[in-house]
Amino acid sequence: MFKKKLLILSTIIFITGCSNNDIEKKIIDGKTYYIIDSKEDLIWLSNPNLFLKFDTSSSQNKLDDEDKLRFKWSANYLQTNNIDLKTKKEENTLGFMPIGSKRIPFSGTYNGKGYSISNLYINRPEQDQIGLFSVLENCTLDSINLVNISITGKTSVGGLAGKDHKSLISNSHVNGTLKSEDFFLGGLIGEKKMEK
């Protein structure tokens, strides 16, 4: 009985997320920024099965799903509102899915503009590279404020990101609880990959 309820809930969340493929965008100083102003926008950004909606004449419509995901996680994002990710833990035992992955790291820009992301809950004790972002590479993160977070992962656990390689991170803050079941734990970044 419980599994059926969980499946129905997952379907509802997925349908809600699908409607957000047409995410708002703004041109600022000649650059395109996609606007993140709600819980649904942030969930959309983390979901590897949802992509940006392109103009029908765009050559980007011909990309395969992996290239569409690579494009999505290399774009510019601007947060324009405080976002509360609070959810009932029994509704989603794993919690939020981190943005980016080991195979396709987040390599774009995310400017939180000083707005908060509160009640981020992630419980993935068997998974590595856990945080708001999974893996960062050559990206820029600015003014992201994480408040009252609860994050558990296996290795490379951080509030902002599990693992980073050559990214620029500034004016960002984390407040809450972090737990690594193995090693590499940090407030902002769990593991920083250094140049050889």
Side-chain angles (χ1 to χ4, degrees):
M1 183 70 168
F2 178 73
K3 288 183 180 181
K4 288 181 182 178
K5 287 182 181 178
L6 186 59
L7 179 61
I8 291 168
L9 179 61
S10 297
T11 304
I12 292 168
I13 289 171
F14 182 73
I15 290 168
T16 302
C18 284
S19 66
N20 209 16
N21 284 2
D22 196 15
I23 195 163
E24 180 186 355
K25 63 181 176 180
K26 289 185 180 178
I27 308 296
I28 302 172
D29 296 329
K31 285 186 174 179
T32 301
Y33 286 86
Y34 296 94
I35 305 302
I36 303 295
D37 71 354
S38 68
K39 177 180 181 176
E40 292 75 22
D41 289 344
L42 212 49
I43 291 169
W44 169 85
L45 180 56
S46 74
N47 190 323
N49 299 310
L50 301 176
F51 309 108
L52 290 166
K53 184 176 180 181
F54 302 112
D55 295 332
T56 54
S57 62
S58 173
S59 63
Q60 292 159 329
N61 280 320
K62 297 176 184 164
L63 298 174
D64 64 23
D65 285 353
E66 186 169 312
D67 285 336
K68 286 179 184 176
L69 184 58
R70 196 176 313 283
F71 181 85
K72 174 181 165 181
W73 284 344
S74 66
N76 302 311
Y77 295 92
L78 186 64
Q79 186 175 331
T80 59
N81 207 352
N82 292 324
I83 298 172
D84 187 349
L85 292 174
K86 190 167 189 160
T87 184
K88 293 180 183 174
K89 291 178 182 159
E90 60 272 11
E91 288 178 1
N92 187 354
T93 57
L94 295 176
F96 184 81
M97 179 185 299
I99 301 163
S101 69
K102 184 176 181 178
R103 192 170 51 85
I104 304 176
F106 183 82
S107 60
T109 63
Y110 189 103
N111 189 332
K113 298 293 282 183
Y115 290 104
S116 67
I117 297 172
S118 59
N119 300 306
L120 170 64
Y121 170 75
I122 303 174
N123 183 28
R124 297 172 183 264
E126 300 299 318
Q127 294 178 21
D128 299 333
Q129 293 99 29
I130 299 297
L132 175 65
F133 294 87
S134 176
V135 179
L136 305 174
E137 187 170 298
N138 296 314
C139 76
T140 301
L141 304 181
D142 186 29
S143 302
I144 300 172
N145 292 312
L146 301 179
V147 179
N148 193 34
I149 66 169
S150 176
I151 298 177
T152 300
K154 185 175 179 185
T155 64
S156 304
V157 178
L160 202 54
K163 189 171 186 177
D164 172 52
H165 180 64
K166 295 171 50 175
S167 296
L168 176 62
I169 300 167
S170 58
N171 303 315
S172 296
H173 308 279
V174 173
N175 168 283
T177 305
L178 298 157
K179 180 181 178 185
S180 170
E181 297 292 336
D182 207 343
F183 53 92
F184 295 127
L185 176 69
L188 284 176
I189 305 295
E191 178 185 1
K192 176 77 173 166
K193 185 176 176 185
M194 305 305 281
E195 292 297 318
K196 293 181 180 179

